[in-house]
């Protein structure tokens, strides 16, 4: 009986080769992990690990109930933060894009200018926010308007730096021979800009936005810490902790996290619609 | 004359210097204008020479220390912790990336969370971490560690994945053990990606550490910053801290590039022989890479 017997594969091995199972695992494993984490939190095991109590680290159910109880107030603060982040993002991106176009038109001076902008992009928000606060003291007599302007400017500067750097790459790193082709057509500079450079930069705009959208929310939250007028999700986190209302603070933290995730999802949807013809 | 001027701008350093000079000039003009119009110009826009003067004057501003001494001692407290957290976060991030590469199980488990943490405004968590740890030094370290952890982890993982298949196949034909494949192929080729992560993480760790300071009065740059803003001491301390933290934020990125050339001989070689096809400004490169990585892995 020289018949070769195929060794039966172990369950582990078979599982590894089953594509359906693997695909299901990519979703199931993280979901399971998340549920486990929540369960440990609810069961106060996390508190033991971090040596803390359910007062500073309230249970998820408590946070949830506070979140639903204070929906109106949280909504107000969320609108304050979102409006700062989105106005700043839009204005900043426009400004950054215009800067990039100017830099691409005058490359000799532009490239150097962008390297300076690149350096300023790593400027800490903590240093910028109070300075801008001081500068906008005279904008309005209303503290709410003043603070709003200051916060918007900070977010604007951060997203402008990011956008200009990325858009400049999009405007200058063209397909090989594309600019040569334009040269053989004897195309004017303005035509090259409109027909070649601007369309080429569109995907790079989204590359910039993917960094800028989470960054603008983060910047809005941080600049709220320094603002005169007390409003916004970030400021509420801080105020509530000062008052030792940890559960409320956690509710605002949950809101901030949701904001980050939702805005990113919206960006992804917009991108997939707008960039369809590029793929 | 005009041509000469034109040639001057062909130099690499000319344009940045031009813009710097323009910026300083604009600041000085603004400072002069505010000096005329405002009652307390030093709160809004002091002359640069006034800030420098404050830096070098030995007049005590707080606790019998001069302004420069105040800034430097508090910077020591803040940046030391930031560095601690940064190193810790970097090590953890690298290890996590390695584990994710080694085991598909870990990767499946952690990858969505790694993506998610990038979207969460971690700096907003600073006050609550302070509340949990109860100690400002610990919370500085923890925040800096979290903030440097995820850029390093995502970028390093992308580096492991970017390895050319031919290289892996070659090692396979050599029947190289797994350990050798990792030390000779995977880890070396992840180095540039790893440093991309570090360049993003370093300024963030500094920002985080300063921000945590502002939450509690216990020394540190951020604490001095808010005290000075409330006029508990000379306002020039505020301006010195702003300039100093800007300098640290900017130079930390460059420091990482310097380390990179230090540890990767091939980069030095290429630089020396002038084979680098194009000069890229650092900011765009890192951010772009990070995003491309995220894109590729998302698909």
């Amino acid at each position: 009986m020289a018949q070769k017997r195929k060794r039966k594969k172990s369950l582990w091995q078979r599982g590894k080769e089953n594509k359906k199972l693997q695909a299901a695992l990519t979703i199931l494993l993280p979901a399971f992990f998340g549920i486990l984490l929540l369960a440990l939190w609810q069961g106060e095991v996390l508190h033991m690990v971090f040596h803390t109590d359910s007062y500073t680290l309230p249970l998820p159910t408590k946070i949830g109930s506070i979140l639903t109880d204070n929906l109106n107030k949280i909504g107000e603060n969320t609108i304050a933060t979102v409006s700062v982040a989105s106005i700043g993002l839009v204005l900043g991106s426009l400004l950054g894009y215009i800067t990039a176009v100017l830099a691409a038109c005058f490359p000799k001076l532009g490239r150097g200018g962008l390297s300076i902008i690149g350096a300023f992009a790593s400027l800490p928000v903590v240093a910028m926010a109070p300075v801008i606060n001081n500068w906008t003291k005279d904008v309005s007599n209303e503290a709410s308007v003043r603070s709003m302007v200051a916060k918007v400017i900070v977010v604007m500067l951060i997203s402008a730096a990011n956008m200009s750097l990325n858009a400049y790459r999009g405007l200058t790193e063209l397909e090989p021979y594309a600019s040569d082709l334009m040269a053989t057509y004897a195309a004017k500079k303005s035509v090259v800009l409109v027909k070649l450079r601007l369309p080429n930069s569109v995907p790079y705009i989204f590359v910039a936005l993917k960094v800028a959208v989470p960054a603008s929310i983060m910047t809005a939250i941080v600049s709220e810490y320094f603002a005169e007028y007390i409003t916004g999700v970030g400021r509420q986190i801080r105020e509530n902790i000062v008052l030792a209302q940890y559960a409320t603070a956690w509710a605002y933290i949950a809101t901030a996290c949701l904001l980050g995730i939702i805005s990113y999802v919206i960006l992804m949807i917009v991108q997939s619609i707008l960039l369809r013809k590029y793929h | 004359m005009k041509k000469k001027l034109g040639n001057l701008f062909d130099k690499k350093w000319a344009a940045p210097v031009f813009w710097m000079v323009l910026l300083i000039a604009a600041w000085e003009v603004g400072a002069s204008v505010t000096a005329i119009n405002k009652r307390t110009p030093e709160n809004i826009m002091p002359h640069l020479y006034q800030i420098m003067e404050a830096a070098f004057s030995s007049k005590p501003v707080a606790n019998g220390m001069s302004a420069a001494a105040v800034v430097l001692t508090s910077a020591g407290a803040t940046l030391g912790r930031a560095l601690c957290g940064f190193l810790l976060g970097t090590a953890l991030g690298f290890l996590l990336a390695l584990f994710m590469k080694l085991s598909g199980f870990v990767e499946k488990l952690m990858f969505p969370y790694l993506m998610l943490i990038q979207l969460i405004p971690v700096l907003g968590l600073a006050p609550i971490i302070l509340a949990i740890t109860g100690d400002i030094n610990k919370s500085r370290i923890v925040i800096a560690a979290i903030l440097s952890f995820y850029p390093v982890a995502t970028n390093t993982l992308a580096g492991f994945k970017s390895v050319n298949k031919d290289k892996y196949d070659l090692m396979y034909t050599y029947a190289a053990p797994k350990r050798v494949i990792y030390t000779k192929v995977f880890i070396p080729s992840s180095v540039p990606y790893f440093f991309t992560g570090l360049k993003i993480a370093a300024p963030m760790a500094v920002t985080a550490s300063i921000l945590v300071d502002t939450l509690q009065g216990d020394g540190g740059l951020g604490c001095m910053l808010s005290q000075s803003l409330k006029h508990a001491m000379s306002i020039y301390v505020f301006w010195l801290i702003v300039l100093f933290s800007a300098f640290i934020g900017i130079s930390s990125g460059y420091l990482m590039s310097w380390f990179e050339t230090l540890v990767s001989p091939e980069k030095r070689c290429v630089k020396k022989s002038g084979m680098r096809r194009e000069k890229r400004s650092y900011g765009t490169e890192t951010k772009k890479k990070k995003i491309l990585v995220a894109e590729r892995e998302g698909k």
Side-chain angles (χ1 to χ4, degrees):
Chain A
M1 293 290 272
Q3 189 186 6
K4 258 190 187 170
R5 243 184 93 222
K6 216 175 167 186
R7 241 177 85 196
K8 213 175 169 197
K9 283 177 179 169
S10 66
L11 198 65
W12 178 256
Q13 194 67 28
R14 273 191 298 175
K16 226 176 188 176
E17 281 163 21
N18 188 341
K19 274 194 186 131
K20 257 187 196 159
L21 181 71
Q22 290 297 318
L25 276 183
T26 33
I27 299 168
L28 285 180
L29 273 178
F32 177 72
F33 183 64
I35 292 168
L36 183 75
L37 215 61
L38 272 180
L40 286 180
W41 189 346
Q42 185 71 38
E44 305 203 13
V45 181
L46 281 189
H47 298 74
M48 268 157 56
V49 175
F50 291 130
H51 300 294
T52 177
D53 46 30
S54 60
Y55 182 62
T56 25
L57 186 62
L59 300 179
T61 44
K62 179 94 191 286
I63 297 173
S65 69
I66 285 189
L67 204 62
T68 45
D69 286 349
N70 297 332
L71 265 186
N72 281 332
K73 195 151 176 265
I74 292 179
E76 260 170 48
N77 287 301
T78 309
I79 289 169
T81 304
V82 168
S83 54
V84 165
S86 52
I87 295 173
L89 182 72
V90 170
L91 290 180
S93 301
L94 283 177
L95 185 73
Y97 196 75
I98 293 168
T99 318
V101 171
L102 285 179
C105 291
F106 308 102
K108 262 184 190 172
L109 274 176
R111 203 182 292 159
L114 281 177
S115 66
I116 287 201
I117 291 178
F120 275 92
S122 50
L123 203 85
V125 189
V126 213
M128 209 174 346
V131 176
I132 303 285
N133 255 341
N134 280 352
W135 286 356
T136 51
K137 282 268 157 69
D138 295 334
V139 172
S140 157
N141 289 325
E142 292 276 327
S144 60
V145 179
R146 258 194 322 239
S147 301
M148 175 92 174
V149 171
K151 288 185 274 187
V152 166
I153 290 176
V154 176
V155 176
M156 191 176 95
L157 289 178
I158 294 276
S159 36
N162 184 22
M163 174 59 85
S164 64
L165 291 167
N166 278 299
Y168 181 75
R169 292 194 69 167
L171 291 166
T172 49
E173 287 175 16
L174 305 167
E175 297 273 318
Y177 306 118
S179 54
D180 298 339
L181 182 68
M182 288 312 233
T184 59
Y185 290 161
K188 278 185 210 143
K189 256 191 170 177
S190 59
V191 176
V192 177
L193 181 71
V194 173
K195 299 234 157 154
L196 179 61
R197 290 184 190 275
L198 293 187
N200 193 58
S201 72
V202 175
Y204 287 80
I205 293 176
F206 281 96
V207 169
L209 283 180
K210 262 188 237 164
V211 178
V213 166
S216 67
I217 291 180
M218 181 107 98
T219 313
I221 284 179
V222 172
S223 53
E224 275 164 13
Y225 287 171
F226 293 93
E228 210 178 330
Y229 188 70
I230 297 173
T231 183
V233 175
R235 190 58 179 263
Q236 291 295 344
I237 295 175
R238 191 176 173 176
E239 295 292 320
N240 280 302
I241 282 177
V242 170
L243 298 174
Q245 292 171 339
Y246 291 110
T248 322
W250 272 100
Y252 280 107
I253 288 179
T255 320
C257 296
L258 272 181
L259 273 184
I261 293 164
I262 291 172
S263 58
Y264 194 76
V265 169
I266 292 175
L267 176 68
M268 284 323 230
I269 294 171
V270 172
Q271 184 194 19
S272 67
I273 294 169
L274 285 183
L275 286 192
R276 204 172 276 156
K277 66 174 178 179
Y278 282 86
H279 289 303
Chain B
M1 185 62 196
K2 202 184 168 194
K3 202 180 165 200
K4 236 182 191 171
L5 216 63
N7 284 340
L8 191 67
F9 279 111
D10 287 340
K11 297 253 169 54
K12 210 176 70 180
W13 50 265
V17 167
F18 170 78
W19 286 106
M20 270 319 278
V21 170
L22 204 71
L23 216 66
I24 290 171
W27 179 280
E28 284 299 315
V29 170
S32 308
V33 171
T34 44
I36 296 163
N37 292 335
K38 295 281 168 357
R39 264 185 302 133
T40 49
E42 68 270 17
N43 285 358
I44 297 168
M45 215 179 196
H47 283 288
L48 286 174
Y49 67 82
Q50 285 172 321
I51 301 178
M52 287 299 133
E53 220 172 72
F56 292 113
S57 81
S58 53
K59 211 173 76 182
V61 289
N63 300 336
M65 286 192 288
S66 71
V70 166
V71 172
L72 288 180
T73 45
S74 48
T78 303
L79 297 179
R81 304 294 185 273
L83 186 67
C84 264
F86 176 65
L87 292 178
L88 192 73
T90 306
L92 286 179
F94 185 80
L95 281 181
L96 179 70
L98 196 62
F99 281 131
M100 282 170 88
K101 176 70 195 168
L102 280 167
S103 142
F105 181 76
V106 178
E107 188 186 345
K108 284 208 177 84
L109 194 68
M110 294 305 295
F111 191 72
Y113 291 99
L114 206 55
M115 291 285 107
L116 217 59
I117 197 175
Q118 297 188 50
L119 310 178
I120 291 173
V122 181
L123 280 179
L125 297 182
I128 206 90
I129 286 177
L130 183 62
I132 290 177
T133 57
D135 175 39
I136 184 109
N137 283 329
K138 249 188 235 163
S139 51
R140 272 182 201 143
I141 294 176
V142 169
I143 284 276
I146 297 176
L147 274 171
S148 38
F149 161 78
Y150 61 81
V152 172
T154 39
N155 281 292
T156 313
L157 184 68
F160 287 142
K161 284 188 172 168
S162 73
V163 169
N164 205 334
K165 197 166 177 301
D166 294 344
K167 281 185 192 166
Y168 183 78
D169 288 345
L170 181 68
M171 291 313 265
Y172 191 74
T173 59
Y174 288 162
K178 216 172 182 180
R179 181 175 51 83
V180 176
I181 298 183
Y182 271 86
T183 50
K184 300 270 175 191
V185 178
F186 280 123
I187 291 178
S189 51
S190 75
V191 165
Y193 287 80
F194 175 66
F195 274 98
T196 305
L198 287 190
K199 280 176 209 162
I200 299 167
M204 274 163 91
V206 175
T207 312
S209 200
I210 297 176
L211 186 79
V212 173
D213 286 348
T214 61
L215 303 176
Q216 203 184 52
D218 190 29
L221 278 181
C223 177
M224 294 299 146
L225 186 106
S226 41
Q227 279 190 18
S228 170
L229 264 180
K230 286 173 197 150
H231 299 280
M233 61 179 85
S234 159
I235 189 73
Y236 287 111
V237 173
F238 164 73
W239 289 106
L240 277 179
I241 290 175
V242 167
L243 277 189
F244 186 75
S245 53
F247 170 75
I248 293 290
I250 292 166
S251 59
S252 62
Y254 283 106
L255 193 69
M256 290 304 130
S257 319
W258 183 74
F259 271 128
E260 188 181 2
T261 39
L262 204 67
V263 298
S264 42
E266 71 277 4
K267 206 171 171 185
R268 268 201 311 270
C269 255
V270 171
K271 206 172 186 179
K272 219 178 252 171
S273 61
M275 272 167 62
R276 249 168 125 183
R277 269 173 301 145
E278 52 178 352
K279 168 100 182 64
R280 282 183 183 158
S281 67
Y282 122 82
T284 31
E285 190 184 9
T286 54
K287 276 177 189 152
K288 177 73 190 307
K289 248 191 214 163
K290 184 186 161 200
I291 294 310
L292 284 182
V293 162
E295 264 179 351
R296 192 169 52 234
E297 288 174 350
K299 266 164 202 165

